[in-house]
Amino acid sequence: MEELVFSRAEFEAVLPSAILFATGLLLLLMDTCFGDRDPNEDSSPKTHLVLTGVAGALLAFAALSVSAGDTSVRLFAGAMTDDLFGRFAAGIIILATLLTSLAAGGYLSGIGKHRGEFHALIFLGAGAMVLLAQATNLISIFVAVETLSLALYVLAGYVRAWRESAEGAFKYFIMGAFSSGFLLLGMAFLYGASGGSIQLADFGDGLDPVLGSVGTLLVIIGFAFKVGAVPFHSWVPDVYQGSPVLAAGWMAVAVKVASFAALLRLVMATGDSANMAGLIMAIAVITMALGNLAALNQTNLKRMLAYSGIAHSGYLMIPVGLALHEGSVNPKVLAGSLFYLAAYLVTTLGVFVALSSLKHGDRDCDTLDAIKGLGRRHPLIALAITLSMVSLAGIPLTGGFMGKYFIFRDAVLGGYWQLAVIGIVTSMVSIYYYLRPVVAMYFHEPSEKIEKVEAAWGLHLALGITSFGILYLGVMPERLVALSLRSVERLGM
Amino acid sequence: MFSLTACLYLSAFLFSVGIYGVLARRNILVILMSLELMLNAVNLALVAFGRAHAVAGAAGEHRGQVFAIMVLAVAAAEAAIGLSLLLLIWRKWRTIDVRDLCRMNG
């Protein structure tokens, strides 16, 4: 019998997620204890919650750098690994949470729906996401995936007064639980195929060929649901359209990061024993094509961004397929994924935070009509949206361009120039729908009365950070590229 | 008593019933039950594999069974969220038919 001892390395590895969970619980308590019951409470900015959240996120970010070195250490009898890869992904998740919680006060008080649950839920979800990025056995992956999903279902239905919100949350719940069933079945098969191991590291060879392939396939399907890859994407547009815009932004970024981190670990572990490279590349191609084409004629911005998120999942699938190609598992190309995710963080949150600073009565300002003439009314917000759209489209000097550049370059170097061509063509198509809002903002007369939320200091700060990040990653990507290369070199399992 | 194959067939059957229920039924309550059925079908497979692969006395002998317990806990949390969403929809629109929940599309 092994003795159960909580080692220092284990303590350091769980510290970031522990801080996030603790912050979530603290926020819940604070809202219950200090909330005065006056009717206007939901419209107050509740700065104490915002500041607590920001402090918690900063603390968790600092805790990431506590554990030292490039080594990857297996902890908790293999349930999780502390490596640079996991910490890189955790860093993106925590930054997304930090920016969201900065913006949440102004946004939620603006639409008159400010309750402590929102803050608590993003922190509880983020804690689970950080665990998922570090998880290396089937049980810890499953529990982390489910914990984060439960937080997301509630966030999607956060605004109970909107019909779309409840509808989106319910669709998300049904589809999410359905996909969890497949994920879990795949895990059971992997467990059976490996002869009784739940450790990712044991799935490399010696898997029962049939059971192992089916298991890997089912798990990939489960994660494809979570990241919204075609053909498992149908929930994404409804959920984004129904969710409050800031929650949609946080979901878009953080879920992708956590799910891709887990998917990468899993794929690296199983290797190409199941011939999954071709399948993943096929998913990448149809996801890029369908996401971008479906986004073309959307007039609801949240829905348009949902399809854009699907398309970006497609781009992110390319390195996964490349890493597996021809049976030789090559982790180097995964650096492209990590960099892309970091660029995606600032780009996507940029546009969602910018939209959060606008409102239309007590609704989100989320249609093309509603932002007409924004360039004249609120030039700075219009500028931030433009910058994010340009980066999403992948135009040079932005982080989005560098991310796409690295992925397409790796595809060409790996001998899959067709993937790069399809990626470039679909990116060009995407310029059309990304620039439509820009045209609406600058070249149309203001048609509706757009209101800007009061108490917008947090939104402004978050927008400043994302805009700076987009330009920084576009002009000086070297440091982050080096860090992502170092991260994937010693990917632990 | 029962062979591993027999248990897996039963599990696959239950899982398929669950899939059918989610895809074909319109009543939200039945869909929630079908989702639970899917998870529990997998639990059966996990426990069956756990018993088949057990090496007496070895460390990690009961991994499959432990996994199944974790799944039970997760399923309970999921049911709580599912039922509260159901309650929200019922209170607002007095319906538990999924056909009434398709306002957004395109």
Side-chain angles (χ1 to χ4, degrees), chain A residues 360 367-372 377 445-451:
Chain A
H360 181 221
T367 56
L368 269 180
D369 284 340
I371 60 164
K372 273 182 186 164
R377 281 270 169 71
E445 289 298 312
S447 57
E448 273 178 87
K449 178 145 177 59
I450 322 160
E451 300 161 75

Side-chain angles (χ1 to χ4, degrees), chain A residues 263-323:
Chain A
L263 184 63
L264 293 185
R265 265 194 217 281
L266 184 101
V267 170
M268 288 297 97
T270 53
D272 204 22
S273 54
N275 292 320
M276 290 298 156
L279 176 85
I280 289 182
M281 287 184 192
I283 292 182
V285 168
I286 51 174
T287 307
M288 289 187 290
L290 200 142
N292 281 317
L293 289 178
L296 284 178
N297 60 356
Q298 299 299 332
T299 50
N300 184 300
L301 289 175
K302 284 195 274 188
R303 218 173 164 80
M304 186 271 270
L305 287 166
Y307 281 112
S308 130
I310 295 172
H312 285 282
S313 282
Y315 297 122
L316 279 162
M317 283 281 184
I318 294 179
V320 185
L322 286 177

Side-chain angles (χ1 to χ4, degrees), chain A residues 34-46 108-109 111-115:
Chain A
F34 304 136
D36 39 347
R37 293 275 157 265
D38 78 83
N40 295 325
E41 198 199 352
D42 288 352
S43 310
S44 82
K46 297 190 182 170
L108 291 173
S109 59
I111 58 169
K113 308 278 187 297
H114 200 178
R115 289 171 170 274

Side-chain angles (χ1 to χ4, degrees), chain A residues 139 146 150 154 160 163-164 166-167 170-171 173-174 178 184 188 191-192 195-196 198 238 241 298 303 307, chain B residues 28 31-32 42 49-50 53 63-64 67 71 74 77-78 81-82 89 92-93 100-106:
Chain A
I139 295 183
E146 284 304 295
L150 292 179
V154 183
R160 283 175 297 177
R163 179 165 185 148
E164 291 86 357
E167 185 185 323
F170 194 74
K171 281 179 178 163
F173 173 77
I174 298 284
F178 193 56
L184 187 60
Y191 170 63
I198 50 169
D238 288 351
Q241 190 183 348
Q298 299 299 332
R303 218 173 164 80
Y307 281 112
Chain B
I28 293 175
I31 292 180
L32 289 181
V42 181
F49 277 130
H53 293 312
R63 289 200 187 98
F67 203 156
V71 176
V74 165
E78 209 171 67
I81 303 266
I89 288 168
K92 285 250 173 248
W93 304 295
D100 299 332
L101 292 177
C102 41
R103 210 185 190 201
M104 295 178 286
N105 47 41

Side-chain angles (χ1 to χ4, degrees), chain A residues 236-237 240-241 245 248-249 252 256 291-292 294-296 298-313 344 347-356 365-366 385 388-389 392-393 433-434 437:
Chain A
V236 183
Y240 281 40
Q241 190 183 348
V245 61
K256 268 202 189 69
N292 281 317
L296 284 178
Q298 299 299 332
T299 50
N300 184 300
L301 289 175
K302 284 195 274 188
R303 218 173 164 80
M304 186 271 270
L305 287 166
Y307 281 112
S308 130
I310 295 172
H312 285 282
S313 282
Y344 190 69
T347 305
T348 307
L349 263 187
V351 51
F352 276 103
V353 168
L355 289 177
S356 307
C365 182
D366 60 0
I385 294 181
S388 298
M389 289 294 178
L392 279 171
Y433 66 82
Y434 285 131

Side-chain angles (χ1 to χ4, degrees), chain A residues 116-365:
Chain A
E117 293 96 295
F118 186 92
H119 298 269
L121 280 168
I122 59 170
F123 274 89
L124 296 176
M129 287 168 181
V130 170
L131 279 185
L132 182 59
Q134 298 173 315
T136 47
N137 82 14
L138 295 181
I139 295 183
S140 50
I141 291 178
F142 181 73
V143 172
V145 165
E146 284 304 295
T147 314
L148 80 88
S149 302
L150 292 179
L152 291 176
Y153 304 146
V154 183
L155 263 184
Y158 175 76
V159 186
R160 283 175 297 177
W162 302 347
R163 179 165 185 148
E164 291 86 357
S165 192
E167 185 185 323
F170 194 74
K171 281 179 178 163
Y172 195 10
F173 173 77
I174 298 284
M175 297 301 278
F178 193 56
S179 72
S180 297
F182 286 100
L183 182 69
L184 187 60
L185 188 67
M187 287 180 168
F189 283 176
L190 282 177
Y191 170 63
S194 66
S197 173
I198 50 169
Q199 214 54 54
L200 285 191
D202 296 338
F203 293 154
D205 32 41
L207 281 188
D208 178 82
V210 179
L211 211 51
S213 306
V214 176
T216 314
L217 182 67
L218 285 171
V219 172
I220 288 177
I221 288 178
F223 277 112
F225 256 110
K226 299 282 175 215
V227 299
V230 178
F232 314 106
H233 65 287
S234 57
W235 57 272
V236 183
D238 288 351
V239 172
Y240 281 40
Q241 190 183 348
S243 309
V245 61
L246 191 59
W250 180 73
M251 274 183 215
V253 176
V255 179
K256 268 202 189 69
V257 178
S259 305
F260 264 102
L263 184 63
L264 293 185
R265 265 194 217 281
L266 184 101
V267 170
M268 288 297 97
T270 53
D272 204 22
S273 54
N275 292 320
M276 290 298 156
L279 176 85
I280 289 182
M281 287 184 192
I283 292 182
V285 168
I286 51 174
T287 307
M288 289 187 290
L290 200 142
N292 281 317
L293 289 178
L296 284 178
N297 60 356
Q298 299 299 332
T299 50
N300 184 300
L301 289 175
K302 284 195 274 188
R303 218 173 164 80
M304 186 271 270
L305 287 166
Y307 281 112
S308 130
I310 295 172
H312 285 282
S313 282
Y315 297 122
L316 279 162
M317 283 281 184
I318 294 179
V320 185
L322 286 177
L324 285 176
H325 105 102
E326 287 169 6
S328 65
V329 171
N330 173 15
K332 268 261 161 67
V333 294
L334 292 180
S337 267
L338 280 186
F339 183 87
Y340 198 94
L341 284 169
Y344 190 69
L345 157 78
V346 282
T347 305
T348 307
L349 263 187
V351 51
F352 276 103
V353 168
L355 289 177
S356 307
S357 62
L358 305 170
K359 63 172 185 163
H360 181 221
D362 61 351
R363 310 280 299 188
D364 282 340
C365 182

